[in-house]
Amino acid sequence: MILKPVPQPLCLDADLLSLPVEQYLHDFRGGLLALPESERDQIVSEVRLQVGAQAREGEAAVQRLLRRLGSPEQLAAQFTLRHELALGVQQSNPLGLLWVLLRLASTSVIAFFGGMAVFILLVAGFSLMIMPIVKIMYPHGIDIPAGAGWAAMEFRVEPSNLVPAGYVPLPFMHAFVVGVVGVVLVGMAVALLRSLGRSLLRGVKRRTQM
């Protein structure tokens, strides 16, 4: 009678993880609650496979990897940030990207100065964009010094047909041009915001790759 060898179950790398590592992954998954469940499962599986690959070299190699990745909360924050940046870039969501920039301003020089530039452009752009509307609502409420450009314009709270001495009403065509300049500035702000989002996304992807 010939005995056939009993096939042994394959030992997956993920099965070699110790209890502390399993606790790390559990805490890591708990930090991803802001993400959709399907993406959360995919990310945890990705990290588990990477950590499991290190398990071939022993527990010491796994612990070195986890120390490099940081705490579960820090790692989860990086993946959450990656998700938000990717979503903002793919959907061209300026508000979402601006919110991420504000959150990163204290830890990233690029986000800080880039966010300041975007904020200045947006404020200036929106302020100029409403100029034609203000001119329509208050025809005599915007004056400029005689002989000066539209950049020297001044507002009067109470519109009146009496223009102060040395001033002339801002022509509507000038107000329209100012509005167009505002649209251009807002467009520049959005373009800069998307560029910053892509740059930060590349950095976050590098940090989350093991």
Side-chain angles (χ1 to χ4, degrees):
M1 179 178 179
I2 301 176
L3 298 177
K4 296 182 179 180
V6 178
Q8 299 295 324
L10 295 177
C11 183
L12 301 177
D13 290 334
D15 296 332
L16 302 176
L17 303 182
S18 62
L19 288 178
V21 177
E22 288 291 351
Q23 183 63 43
Y24 181 97
L25 293 174
H26 179 269
D27 296 340
F28 169 62
R29 194 180 196 284
L32 299 173
L33 293 179
L35 275 62
E37 185 174 1
S38 58
E39 184 165 353
R40 189 166 55 222
D41 294 339
Q42 180 180 356
I43 290 175
V44 174
S45 297
E46 173 188 338
V47 175
R48 176 181 290 275
L49 287 176
Q50 294 292 335
V51 175
Q54 291 295 315
R56 294 178 177 178
E57 302 179 12
E59 185 67 17
V62 175
Q63 293 301 325
R64 285 196 299 269
L65 175 61
L66 296 184
R67 283 195 296 271
R68 183 164 62 86
L69 294 177
S71 67
E73 294 76 14
Q74 292 173 333
L75 185 61
Q78 291 292 328
F79 275 95
T80 301
L81 182 63
R82 188 181 78 174
H83 169 77
E84 294 178 355
L85 282 171
L87 200 62
V89 171
Q90 292 171 3
Q91 297 182 352
S92 298
N93 183 1
L95 292 179
L97 286 175
L98 185 59
W99 173 240
V100 175
L101 280 181
L102 292 176
R103 289 162 50 193
L104 286 175
S106 60
T107 58
S108 170
V109 176
I110 296 177
F112 178 77
F113 288 104
M116 285 183 58
V118 169
F119 180 77
I120 292 172
L121 287 173
L122 286 176
V123 171
F126 282 117
S127 299
L128 297 180
M129 281 175 59
I130 66 173
M131 197 61 60
I133 301 176
V134 174
K135 180 62 180 177
I136 294 174
M137 297 177 61
Y138 301 100
H140 303 284
I142 309 176
D143 304 318
I144 56 175
W150 56 266
M153 59 188 171
E154 295 184 6
F155 292 88
R156 284 182 287 120
V157 178
E158 296 181 0
S160 171
N161 292 329
L162 299 177
V163 180
Y167 286 78
V168 295
L170 178 71
F172 180 79
M173 182 56 65
H174 288 191
F176 176 77
V177 172
V178 171
V180 172
V181 172
V183 172
V184 173
L185 291 180
V186 171
M188 291 174 58
V190 173
L192 177 60
L193 194 58
R194 292 174 180 170
S195 177
L196 287 172
R198 288 191 290 267
S199 176
L200 292 171
L201 180 60
R202 287 193 294 268
V204 172
K205 282 183 175 180
R206 285 195 298 269
R207 289 195 296 271
T208 53
Q209 287 175 349
M210 294 177 289

